[in-house]
Amino acid sequence: MWRKSVEKQLVRVKEKMKALTGLTTSAAVRSMLEGESRGIAFVRGKGKHKSQAQRDWEEKQALLERWERYEEMLSTMGEGRNSYSKTDTDATFMRMKEDHLRNGQLKPGYNVQIAVNSEYITGLEAFSDRTDVRTLRPMLDTMSRWHQARYEEVVADAGYESLENYLYLARCAS
């Protein structure tokens, strides 16, 4: 699921619902639909003809279900992510290097970080963030909790380079 697509569809659903009902919150729409459902004789099955009121109610109900589904998708993504996989909501979409067709397909995956000290693995963590920039700080915080000590020297490649990381490391050193 992609954040921009979900946000765009949510705006469309909200606009359509506002045009139909004049309401702007899902809770208000839900309570209105519950009230409307009491006055409608619902019919189902072959040979039955739905009334216009039932058709209108079902359209609003379908829009409300989409609205709530889109809001649930956005809450699953949280603040720092732009995508997630339907099959594994913790994974995010990344370009994988082993793609034999070389067509740049995106696949769900994790960003695994490994910390090493004197050739021994001292920390291992999996992140759902595609880049390394936002993984250095949480990784060092987790390791300092595990080992009850802060690392005095940190060596990392250019993927971790950002002003926030430099400021964090400077605060830790002092």
PDB file of all heavy atoms in Angstrom, residues 93-129:
ATOM      1  N   PHE A  93       8.293  -1.531   0.966  1.00  0.00           N
ATOM      2  CA  PHE A  93       8.751  -1.875  -0.376  1.00  0.00           C
ATOM      3  C   PHE A  93      10.135  -1.299  -0.638  1.00  0.00           C
ATOM      4  O   PHE A  93      10.405  -0.137  -0.369  1.00  0.00           O
ATOM      5  CB  PHE A  93       7.763  -1.364  -1.419  1.00  0.00           C
ATOM      6  CG  PHE A  93       6.527  -2.197  -1.482  1.00  0.00           C
ATOM      7  CD1 PHE A  93       5.358  -1.764  -0.907  1.00  0.00           C
ATOM      8  CD2 PHE A  93       6.551  -3.431  -2.099  1.00  0.00           C
ATOM      9  CE1 PHE A  93       4.218  -2.536  -0.954  1.00  0.00           C
ATOM     10  CE2 PHE A  93       5.420  -4.216  -2.152  1.00  0.00           C
ATOM     11  CZ  PHE A  93       4.248  -3.764  -1.581  1.00  0.00           C
ATOM     12  N   MET A  94      11.016  -2.166  -1.193  1.00  0.00           N
ATOM     13  CA  MET A  94      12.394  -1.778  -1.491  1.00  0.00           C
ATOM     14  C   MET A  94      12.812  -2.393  -2.814  1.00  0.00           C
ATOM     15  O   MET A  94      12.291  -3.432  -3.215  1.00  0.00           O
ATOM     16  CB  MET A  94      13.336  -2.311  -0.406  1.00  0.00           C
ATOM     17  CG  MET A  94      13.053  -1.831   0.970  1.00  0.00           C
ATOM     18  SD  MET A  94      14.236  -2.575   2.111  1.00  0.00           S
ATOM     19  CE  MET A  94      13.582  -2.021   3.646  1.00  0.00           C
ATOM     20  N   ARG A  95      13.766  -1.771  -3.462  1.00  0.00           N
ATOM     21  CA  ARG A  95      14.350  -2.360  -4.670  1.00  0.00           C
ATOM     22  C   ARG A  95      15.371  -3.403  -4.220  1.00  0.00           C
ATOM     23  O   ARG A  95      16.285  -3.115  -3.469  1.00  0.00           O
ATOM     24  CB  ARG A  95      15.033  -1.306  -5.516  1.00  0.00           C
ATOM     25  CG  ARG A  95      14.054  -0.310  -6.068  1.00  0.00           C
ATOM     26  CD  ARG A  95      14.624   0.410  -7.284  1.00  0.00           C
ATOM     27  NE  ARG A  95      13.748   1.464  -7.692  1.00  0.00           N
ATOM     28  CZ  ARG A  95      12.627   1.307  -8.375  1.00  0.00           C
ATOM     29  NH1 ARG A  95      12.260   0.100  -8.726  1.00  0.00           N
ATOM     30  NH2 ARG A  95      11.874   2.326  -8.703  1.00  0.00           N
ATOM     31  N   MET A  96      15.211  -4.612  -4.725  1.00  0.00           N
ATOM     32  CA  MET A  96      16.102  -5.705  -4.344  1.00  0.00           C
ATOM     33  C   MET A  96      17.176  -5.903  -5.407  1.00  0.00           C
ATOM     34  O   MET A  96      16.895  -5.849  -6.602  1.00  0.00           O
ATOM     35  CB  MET A  96      15.314  -7.006  -4.170  1.00  0.00           C
ATOM     36  CG  MET A  96      14.235  -6.920  -3.131  1.00  0.00           C
ATOM     37  SD  MET A  96      14.973  -6.657  -1.515  1.00  0.00           S
ATOM     38  CE  MET A  96      13.528  -6.482  -0.517  1.00  0.00           C
ATOM     39  N   LYS A  97      18.397  -6.174  -4.982  1.00  0.00           N
ATOM     40  CA  LYS A  97      19.517  -6.318  -5.905  1.00  0.00           C
ATOM     41  C   LYS A  97      19.488  -7.629  -6.687  1.00  0.00           C
ATOM     42  O   LYS A  97      20.029  -7.715  -7.758  1.00  0.00           O
ATOM     43  CB  LYS A  97      20.835  -6.213  -5.137  1.00  0.00           C
ATOM     44  CG  LYS A  97      21.104  -4.828  -4.628  1.00  0.00           C
ATOM     45  CD  LYS A  97      22.428  -4.743  -3.934  1.00  0.00           C
ATOM     46  CE  LYS A  97      22.663  -3.342  -3.422  1.00  0.00           C
ATOM     47  NZ  LYS A  97      23.903  -3.229  -2.681  1.00  0.00           N
ATOM     48  N   GLU A  98      18.823  -8.650  -6.178  1.00  0.00           N
ATOM     49  CA  GLU A  98      18.870  -9.952  -6.836  1.00  0.00           C
ATOM     50  C   GLU A  98      17.895 -10.074  -7.998  1.00  0.00           C
ATOM     51  O   GLU A  98      17.721 -11.129  -8.554  1.00  0.00           O
ATOM     52  CB  GLU A  98      18.627 -11.080  -5.823  1.00  0.00           C
ATOM     53  CG  GLU A  98      17.205 -11.589  -5.718  1.00  0.00           C
ATOM     54  CD  GLU A  98      16.245 -10.703  -4.972  1.00  0.00           C
ATOM     55  OE1 GLU A  98      16.682  -9.849  -4.197  1.00  0.00           O
ATOM     56  OE2 GLU A  98      15.035 -10.867  -5.185  1.00  0.00           O
ATOM     57  N   ASP A  99      17.264  -8.985  -8.386  1.00  0.00           N
ATOM     58  CA  ASP A  99      16.282  -9.026  -9.462  1.00  0.00           C
ATOM     59  C   ASP A  99      16.962  -9.425 -10.771  1.00  0.00           C
ATOM     60  O   ASP A  99      17.687  -8.653 -11.374  1.00  0.00           O
ATOM     61  CB  ASP A  99      15.618  -7.661  -9.580  1.00  0.00           C
ATOM     62  CG  ASP A  99      14.430  -7.672 -10.507  1.00  0.00           C
ATOM     63  OD1 ASP A  99      13.916  -8.755 -10.796  1.00  0.00           O
ATOM     64  OD2 ASP A  99      14.033  -6.591 -10.930  1.00  0.00           O
ATOM     65  N   HIS A 100      16.729 -10.652 -11.228  1.00  0.00           N
ATOM     66  CA  HIS A 100      17.419 -11.193 -12.397  1.00  0.00           C
ATOM     67  C   HIS A 100      16.952 -10.566 -13.711  1.00  0.00           C
ATOM     68  O   HIS A 100      17.666 -10.604 -14.702  1.00  0.00           O
ATOM     69  CB  HIS A 100      17.253 -12.714 -12.449  1.00  0.00           C
ATOM     70  CG  HIS A 100      15.844 -13.157 -12.617  1.00  0.00           C
ATOM     71  ND1 HIS A 100      14.934 -13.122 -11.582  1.00  0.00           N
ATOM     72  CD2 HIS A 100      15.183 -13.612 -13.695  1.00  0.00           C
ATOM     73  CE1 HIS A 100      13.767 -13.552 -12.014  1.00  0.00           C
ATOM     74  NE2 HIS A 100      13.890 -13.864 -13.288  1.00  0.00           N
ATOM     75  N   LEU A 101      15.766  -9.999 -13.743  1.00  0.00           N
ATOM     76  CA  LEU A 101      15.268  -9.351 -14.955  1.00  0.00           C
ATOM     77  C   LEU A 101      15.771  -7.919 -15.092  1.00  0.00           C
ATOM     78  O   LEU A 101      15.654  -7.311 -16.144  1.00  0.00           O
ATOM     79  CB  LEU A 101      13.732  -9.350 -14.959  1.00  0.00           C
ATOM     80  CG  LEU A 101      13.072 -10.715 -15.013  1.00  0.00           C
ATOM     81  CD1 LEU A 101      11.559 -10.562 -14.922  1.00  0.00           C
ATOM     82  CD2 LEU A 101      13.452 -11.454 -16.282  1.00  0.00           C
ATOM     83  N   ARG A 102      16.298  -7.380 -14.035  1.00  0.00           N
ATOM     84  CA  ARG A 102      16.827  -6.011 -13.988  1.00  0.00           C
ATOM     85  C   ARG A 102      15.767  -4.978 -14.418  1.00  0.00           C
ATOM     86  O   ARG A 102      16.072  -4.037 -15.139  1.00  0.00           O
ATOM     87  CB  ARG A 102      18.077  -5.880 -14.841  1.00  0.00           C
ATOM     88  CG  ARG A 102      19.221  -6.696 -14.304  1.00  0.00           C
ATOM     89  CD  ARG A 102      20.526  -6.274 -14.930  1.00  0.00           C
ATOM     90  NE  ARG A 102      21.596  -6.975 -14.284  1.00  0.00           N
ATOM     91  CZ  ARG A 102      22.330  -7.910 -14.864  1.00  0.00           C
ATOM     92  NH1 ARG A 102      22.117  -8.226 -16.119  1.00  0.00           N
ATOM     93  NH2 ARG A 102      23.290  -8.502 -14.207  1.00  0.00           N
ATOM     94  N   ASN A 103      14.523  -5.212 -13.986  1.00  0.00           N
ATOM     95  CA  ASN A 103      13.474  -4.262 -14.327  1.00  0.00           C
ATOM     96  C   ASN A 103      13.059  -3.415 -13.128  1.00  0.00           C
ATOM     97  O   ASN A 103      12.067  -2.718 -13.177  1.00  0.00           O
ATOM     98  CB  ASN A 103      12.262  -4.973 -14.925  1.00  0.00           C
ATOM     99  CG  ASN A 103      11.664  -5.998 -13.993  1.00  0.00           C
ATOM    100  OD1 ASN A 103      12.147  -6.199 -12.887  1.00  0.00           O
ATOM    101  ND2 ASN A 103      10.615  -6.656 -14.443  1.00  0.00           N
ATOM    102  N   GLY A 104      13.798  -3.470 -12.046  1.00  0.00           N
ATOM    103  CA  GLY A 104      13.579  -2.595 -10.913  1.00  0.00           C
ATOM    104  C   GLY A 104      12.295  -2.824 -10.156  1.00  0.00           C
ATOM    105  O   GLY A 104      11.664  -1.873  -9.732  1.00  0.00           O
ATOM    106  N   GLN A 105      11.895  -4.072 -10.004  1.00  0.00           N
ATOM    107  CA  GLN A 105      10.678  -4.350  -9.255  1.00  0.00           C
ATOM    108  C   GLN A 105      10.877  -4.071  -7.774  1.00  0.00           C
ATOM    109  O   GLN A 105      11.949  -4.281  -7.223  1.00  0.00           O
ATOM    110  CB  GLN A 105      10.266  -5.808  -9.419  1.00  0.00           C
ATOM    111  CG  GLN A 105       9.616  -6.093 -10.730  1.00  0.00           C
ATOM    112  CD  GLN A 105       9.091  -7.508 -10.781  1.00  0.00           C
ATOM    113  OE1 GLN A 105       9.608  -8.390 -10.119  1.00  0.00           O
ATOM    114  NE2 GLN A 105       8.058  -7.701 -11.558  1.00  0.00           N
ATOM    115  N   LEU A 106       9.810  -3.596  -7.153  1.00  0.00           N
ATOM    116  CA  LEU A 106       9.825  -3.370  -5.719  1.00  0.00           C
ATOM    117  C   LEU A 106       9.254  -4.595  -5.027  1.00  0.00           C
ATOM    118  O   LEU A 106       8.261  -5.164  -5.475  1.00  0.00           O
ATOM    119  CB  LEU A 106       8.987  -2.143  -5.369  1.00  0.00           C
ATOM    120  CG  LEU A 106       9.502  -0.829  -5.936  1.00  0.00           C
ATOM    121  CD1 LEU A 106       8.473   0.265  -5.742  1.00  0.00           C
ATOM    122  CD2 LEU A 106      10.798  -0.446  -5.275  1.00  0.00           C
ATOM    123  N   LYS A 107       9.894  -4.997  -3.942  1.00  0.00           N
ATOM    124  CA  LYS A 107       9.438  -6.152  -3.178  1.00  0.00           C
ATOM    125  C   LYS A 107       9.419  -5.789  -1.700  1.00  0.00           C
ATOM    126  O   LYS A 107      10.191  -4.952  -1.259  1.00  0.00           O
ATOM    127  CB  LYS A 107      10.382  -7.334  -3.396  1.00  0.00           C
ATOM    128  CG  LYS A 107      10.413  -7.807  -4.828  1.00  0.00           C
ATOM    129  CD  LYS A 107      11.381  -8.950  -4.997  1.00  0.00           C
ATOM    130  CE  LYS A 107      11.452  -9.332  -6.463  1.00  0.00           C
ATOM    131  NZ  LYS A 107      12.488 -10.335  -6.696  1.00  0.00           N
ATOM    132  N   PRO A 108       8.534  -6.430  -0.919  1.00  0.00           N
ATOM    133  CA  PRO A 108       8.530  -6.144   0.520  1.00  0.00           C
ATOM    134  C   PRO A 108       9.814  -6.646   1.165  1.00  0.00           C
ATOM    135  O   PRO A 108      10.299  -7.734   0.842  1.00  0.00           O
ATOM    136  CB  PRO A 108       7.311  -6.886   1.046  1.00  0.00           C
ATOM    137  CG  PRO A 108       6.907  -7.821  -0.024  1.00  0.00           C
ATOM    138  CD  PRO A 108       7.498  -7.362  -1.296  1.00  0.00           C
ATOM    139  N   GLY A 109      10.372  -5.843   2.061  1.00  0.00           N
ATOM    140  CA  GLY A 109      11.609  -6.247   2.712  1.00  0.00           C
ATOM    141  C   GLY A 109      11.893  -5.427   3.960  1.00  0.00           C
ATOM    142  O   GLY A 109      11.134  -4.536   4.342  1.00  0.00           O
ATOM    143  N   TYR A 110      13.012  -5.759   4.592  1.00  0.00           N
ATOM    144  CA  TYR A 110      13.458  -5.095   5.813  1.00  0.00           C
ATOM    145  C   TYR A 110      14.874  -4.584   5.608  1.00  0.00           C
ATOM    146  O   TYR A 110      15.639  -5.126   4.818  1.00  0.00           O
ATOM    147  CB  TYR A 110      13.462  -6.077   6.998  1.00  0.00           C
ATOM    148  CG  TYR A 110      12.098  -6.533   7.398  1.00  0.00           C
ATOM    149  CD1 TYR A 110      11.554  -7.698   6.881  1.00  0.00           C
ATOM    150  CD2 TYR A 110      11.339  -5.797   8.293  1.00  0.00           C
ATOM    151  CE1 TYR A 110      10.300  -8.125   7.247  1.00  0.00           C
ATOM    152  CE2 TYR A 110      10.076  -6.208   8.665  1.00  0.00           C
ATOM    153  CZ  TYR A 110       9.563  -7.367   8.140  1.00  0.00           C
ATOM    154  OH  TYR A 110       8.318  -7.781   8.494  1.00  0.00           O
ATOM    155  N   ASN A 111      15.248  -3.571   6.353  1.00  0.00           N
ATOM    156  CA  ASN A 111      16.599  -3.045   6.356  1.00  0.00           C
ATOM    157  C   ASN A 111      17.266  -3.588   7.617  1.00  0.00           C
ATOM    158  O   ASN A 111      16.965  -3.156   8.724  1.00  0.00           O
ATOM    159  CB  ASN A 111      16.547  -1.518   6.362  1.00  0.00           C
ATOM    160  CG  ASN A 111      17.904  -0.886   6.240  1.00  0.00           C
ATOM    161  OD1 ASN A 111      18.926  -1.567   6.276  1.00  0.00           O
ATOM    162  ND2 ASN A 111      17.924   0.425   6.103  1.00  0.00           N
ATOM    163  N   VAL A 112      18.157  -4.547   7.451  1.00  0.00           N
ATOM    164  CA  VAL A 112      18.804  -5.196   8.587  1.00  0.00           C
ATOM    165  C   VAL A 112      20.119  -4.475   8.890  1.00  0.00           C
ATOM    166  O   VAL A 112      20.942  -4.266   8.011  1.00  0.00           O
ATOM    167  CB  VAL A 112      19.076  -6.694   8.296  1.00  0.00           C
ATOM    168  CG1 VAL A 112      19.802  -7.346   9.451  1.00  0.00           C
ATOM    169  CG2 VAL A 112      17.771  -7.408   8.010  1.00  0.00           C
ATOM    170  N   GLN A 113      20.293  -4.101  10.150  1.00  0.00           N
ATOM    171  CA  GLN A 113      21.490  -3.412  10.611  1.00  0.00           C
ATOM    172  C   GLN A 113      22.268  -4.350  11.540  1.00  0.00           C
ATOM    173  O   GLN A 113      21.686  -4.975  12.422  1.00  0.00           O
ATOM    174  CB  GLN A 113      21.121  -2.138  11.368  1.00  0.00           C
ATOM    175  CG  GLN A 113      20.322  -1.156  10.558  1.00  0.00           C
ATOM    176  CD  GLN A 113      21.136  -0.549   9.437  1.00  0.00           C
ATOM    177  OE1 GLN A 113      22.271  -0.103   9.656  1.00  0.00           O
ATOM    178  NE2 GLN A 113      20.577  -0.544   8.248  1.00  0.00           N
ATOM    179  N   ILE A 114      23.573  -4.419  11.318  1.00  0.00           N
ATOM    180  CA  ILE A 114      24.437  -5.267  12.146  1.00  0.00           C
ATOM    181  C   ILE A 114      25.556  -4.401  12.713  1.00  0.00           C
ATOM    182  O   ILE A 114      26.224  -3.677  11.972  1.00  0.00           O
ATOM    183  CB  ILE A 114      25.044  -6.429  11.320  1.00  0.00           C
ATOM    184  CG1 ILE A 114      23.925  -7.288  10.741  1.00  0.00           C
ATOM    185  CG2 ILE A 114      25.984  -7.260  12.176  1.00  0.00           C
ATOM    186  CD1 ILE A 114      24.410  -8.331   9.756  1.00  0.00           C
ATOM    187  N   ALA A 115      25.744  -4.463  14.028  1.00  0.00           N
ATOM    188  CA  ALA A 115      26.828  -3.736  14.687  1.00  0.00           C
ATOM    189  C   ALA A 115      27.929  -4.737  15.043  1.00  0.00           C
ATOM    190  O   ALA A 115      27.651  -5.829  15.540  1.00  0.00           O
ATOM    191  CB  ALA A 115      26.321  -3.047  15.945  1.00  0.00           C
ATOM    192  N   VAL A 116      29.173  -4.351  14.779  1.00  0.00           N
ATOM    193  CA  VAL A 116      30.314  -5.231  15.011  1.00  0.00           C
ATOM    194  C   VAL A 116      31.330  -4.513  15.877  1.00  0.00           C
ATOM    195  O   VAL A 116      31.594  -3.325  15.692  1.00  0.00           O
ATOM    196  CB  VAL A 116      30.960  -5.635  13.661  1.00  0.00           C
ATOM    197  CG1 VAL A 116      32.161  -6.526  13.879  1.00  0.00           C
ATOM    198  CG2 VAL A 116      29.946  -6.310  12.760  1.00  0.00           C
ATOM    199  N   ASN A 117      31.916  -5.249  16.827  1.00  0.00           N
ATOM    200  CA  ASN A 117      32.967  -4.727  17.680  1.00  0.00           C
ATOM    201  C   ASN A 117      34.042  -5.793  17.775  1.00  0.00           C
ATOM    202  O   ASN A 117      33.783  -6.896  18.252  1.00  0.00           O
ATOM    203  CB  ASN A 117      32.405  -4.381  19.055  1.00  0.00           C
ATOM    204  CG  ASN A 117      33.411  -3.664  19.926  1.00  0.00           C
ATOM    205  OD1 ASN A 117      34.516  -3.346  19.481  1.00  0.00           O
ATOM    206  ND2 ASN A 117      33.023  -3.413  21.161  1.00  0.00           N
ATOM    207  N   SER A 118      35.237  -5.494  17.300  1.00  0.00           N
ATOM    208  CA  SER A 118      36.369  -6.429  17.319  1.00  0.00           C
ATOM    209  C   SER A 118      35.997  -7.754  16.668  1.00  0.00           C
ATOM    210  O   SER A 118      36.235  -8.839  17.201  1.00  0.00           O
ATOM    211  CB  SER A 118      36.856  -6.667  18.746  1.00  0.00           C
ATOM    212  OG  SER A 118      37.245  -5.468  19.341  1.00  0.00           O
ATOM    213  N   GLU A 119      35.393  -7.678  15.504  1.00  0.00           N
ATOM    214  CA  GLU A 119      35.004  -8.826  14.681  1.00  0.00           C
ATOM    215  C   GLU A 119      33.887  -9.674  15.284  1.00  0.00           C
ATOM    216  O   GLU A 119      33.584 -10.739  14.780  1.00  0.00           O
ATOM    217  CB  GLU A 119      36.213  -9.694  14.346  1.00  0.00           C
ATOM    218  CG  GLU A 119      37.270  -8.964  13.542  1.00  0.00           C
ATOM    219  CD  GLU A 119      38.454  -9.852  13.212  1.00  0.00           C
ATOM    220  OE1 GLU A 119      38.339 -11.085  13.346  1.00  0.00           O
ATOM    221  OE2 GLU A 119      39.476  -9.308  12.798  1.00  0.00           O
ATOM    222  N   TYR A 120      33.263  -9.221  16.341  1.00  0.00           N
ATOM    223  CA  TYR A 120      32.126  -9.931  16.938  1.00  0.00           C
ATOM    224  C   TYR A 120      30.850  -9.106  16.717  1.00  0.00           C
ATOM    225  O   TYR A 120      30.861  -7.889  16.879  1.00  0.00           O
ATOM    226  CB  TYR A 120      32.333 -10.147  18.443  1.00  0.00           C
ATOM    227  CG  TYR A 120      33.445 -11.114  18.750  1.00  0.00           C
ATOM    228  CD1 TYR A 120      34.697 -10.651  19.146  1.00  0.00           C
ATOM    229  CD2 TYR A 120      33.248 -12.479  18.651  1.00  0.00           C
ATOM    230  CE1 TYR A 120      35.723 -11.528  19.427  1.00  0.00           C
ATOM    231  CE2 TYR A 120      34.269 -13.368  18.921  1.00  0.00           C
ATOM    232  CZ  TYR A 120      35.504 -12.896  19.312  1.00  0.00           C
ATOM    233  OH  TYR A 120      36.510 -13.770  19.577  1.00  0.00           O
ATOM    234  N   ILE A 121      29.781  -9.792  16.399  1.00  0.00           N
ATOM    235  CA  ILE A 121      28.498  -9.116  16.230  1.00  0.00           C
ATOM    236  C   ILE A 121      27.964  -8.756  17.613  1.00  0.00           C
ATOM    237  O   ILE A 121      27.771  -9.622  18.456  1.00  0.00           O
ATOM    238  CB  ILE A 121      27.496 -10.007  15.473  1.00  0.00           C
ATOM    239  CG1 ILE A 121      27.988 -10.255  14.052  1.00  0.00           C
ATOM    240  CG2 ILE A 121      26.112  -9.367  15.450  1.00  0.00           C
ATOM    241  CD1 ILE A 121      27.150 -11.228  13.261  1.00  0.00           C
ATOM    242  N   THR A 122      27.774  -7.454  17.836  1.00  0.00           N
ATOM    243  CA  THR A 122      27.286  -6.995  19.141  1.00  0.00           C
ATOM    244  C   THR A 122      25.852  -6.484  19.084  1.00  0.00           C
ATOM    245  O   THR A 122      25.253  -6.221  20.111  1.00  0.00           O
ATOM    246  CB  THR A 122      28.192  -5.873  19.686  1.00  0.00           C
ATOM    247  OG1 THR A 122      28.211  -4.805  18.743  1.00  0.00           O
ATOM    248  CG2 THR A 122      29.594  -6.387  19.928  1.00  0.00           C
ATOM    249  N   GLY A 123      25.324  -6.325  17.888  1.00  0.00           N
ATOM    250  CA  GLY A 123      23.952  -5.853  17.762  1.00  0.00           C
ATOM    251  C   GLY A 123      23.367  -6.217  16.412  1.00  0.00           C
ATOM    252  O   GLY A 123      24.073  -6.250  15.400  1.00  0.00           O
ATOM    253  N   LEU A 124      22.087  -6.517  16.415  1.00  0.00           N
ATOM    254  CA  LEU A 124      21.391  -6.883  15.187  1.00  0.00           C
ATOM    255  C   LEU A 124      19.951  -6.391  15.312  1.00  0.00           C
ATOM    256  O   LEU A 124      19.296  -6.654  16.323  1.00  0.00           O
ATOM    257  CB  LEU A 124      21.419  -8.406  15.004  1.00  0.00           C
ATOM    258  CG  LEU A 124      20.671  -8.983  13.824  1.00  0.00           C
ATOM    259  CD1 LEU A 124      21.366  -8.607  12.532  1.00  0.00           C
ATOM    260  CD2 LEU A 124      20.615 -10.492  13.951  1.00  0.00           C
ATOM    261  N   GLU A 125      19.491  -5.662  14.310  1.00  0.00           N
ATOM    262  CA  GLU A 125      18.129  -5.150  14.361  1.00  0.00           C
ATOM    263  C   GLU A 125      17.590  -4.996  12.943  1.00  0.00           C
ATOM    264  O   GLU A 125      18.334  -4.684  12.019  1.00  0.00           O
ATOM    265  CB  GLU A 125      18.099  -3.802  15.092  1.00  0.00           C
ATOM    266  CG  GLU A 125      16.747  -3.433  15.570  1.00  0.00           C
ATOM    267  CD  GLU A 125      16.764  -2.331  16.621  1.00  0.00           C
ATOM    268  OE1 GLU A 125      17.842  -1.972  17.129  1.00  0.00           O
ATOM    269  OE2 GLU A 125      15.681  -1.837  16.912  1.00  0.00           O
ATOM    270  N   ALA A 126      16.291  -5.226  12.770  1.00  0.00           N
ATOM    271  CA  ALA A 126      15.622  -5.075  11.476  1.00  0.00           C
ATOM    272  C   ALA A 126      14.691  -3.867  11.531  1.00  0.00           C
ATOM    273  O   ALA A 126      13.925  -3.711  12.474  1.00  0.00           O
ATOM    274  CB  ALA A 126      14.844  -6.330  11.137  1.00  0.00           C
ATOM    275  N   PHE A 127      14.773  -3.028  10.500  1.00  0.00           N
ATOM    276  CA  PHE A 127      13.961  -1.820  10.417  1.00  0.00           C
ATOM    277  C   PHE A 127      13.081  -1.881   9.179  1.00  0.00           C
ATOM    278  O   PHE A 127      13.423  -2.516   8.185  1.00  0.00           O
ATOM    279  CB  PHE A 127      14.855  -0.572  10.326  1.00  0.00           C
ATOM    280  CG  PHE A 127      15.660  -0.307  11.557  1.00  0.00           C
ATOM    281  CD1 PHE A 127      16.942  -0.813  11.695  1.00  0.00           C
ATOM    282  CD2 PHE A 127      15.131   0.448  12.578  1.00  0.00           C
ATOM    283  CE1 PHE A 127      17.679  -0.565  12.824  1.00  0.00           C
ATOM    284  CE2 PHE A 127      15.863   0.708  13.725  1.00  0.00           C
ATOM    285  CZ  PHE A 127      17.150   0.191  13.851  1.00  0.00           C
ATOM    286  N   SER A 128      11.970  -1.172   9.215  1.00  0.00           N
ATOM    287  CA  SER A 128      11.101  -1.103   8.045  1.00  0.00           C
ATOM    288  C   SER A 128      11.361   0.170   7.241  1.00  0.00           C
ATOM    289  O   SER A 128      10.607   0.501   6.347  1.00  0.00           O
ATOM    290  CB  SER A 128       9.630  -1.177   8.463  1.00  0.00           C
ATOM    291  OG  SER A 128       9.329  -0.158   9.358  1.00  0.00           O
ATOM    292  N   ASP A 129      12.430   0.861   7.544  1.00  0.00           N
ATOM    293  CA  ASP A 129      12.815   2.068   6.820  1.00  0.00           C
ATOM    294  C   ASP A 129      13.760   1.674   5.685  1.00  0.00           C
ATOM    295  O   ASP A 129      14.690   0.893   5.887  1.00  0.00           O
ATOM    296  CB  ASP A 129      13.507   3.048   7.771  1.00  0.00           C
ATOM    297  CG  ASP A 129      13.554   4.443   7.221  1.00  0.00           C
ATOM    298  OD1 ASP A 129      13.480   4.593   5.993  1.00  0.00           O
ATOM    299  OD2 ASP A 129      13.661   5.381   8.019  1.00  0.00           O
TER     300      ASP A 129
END
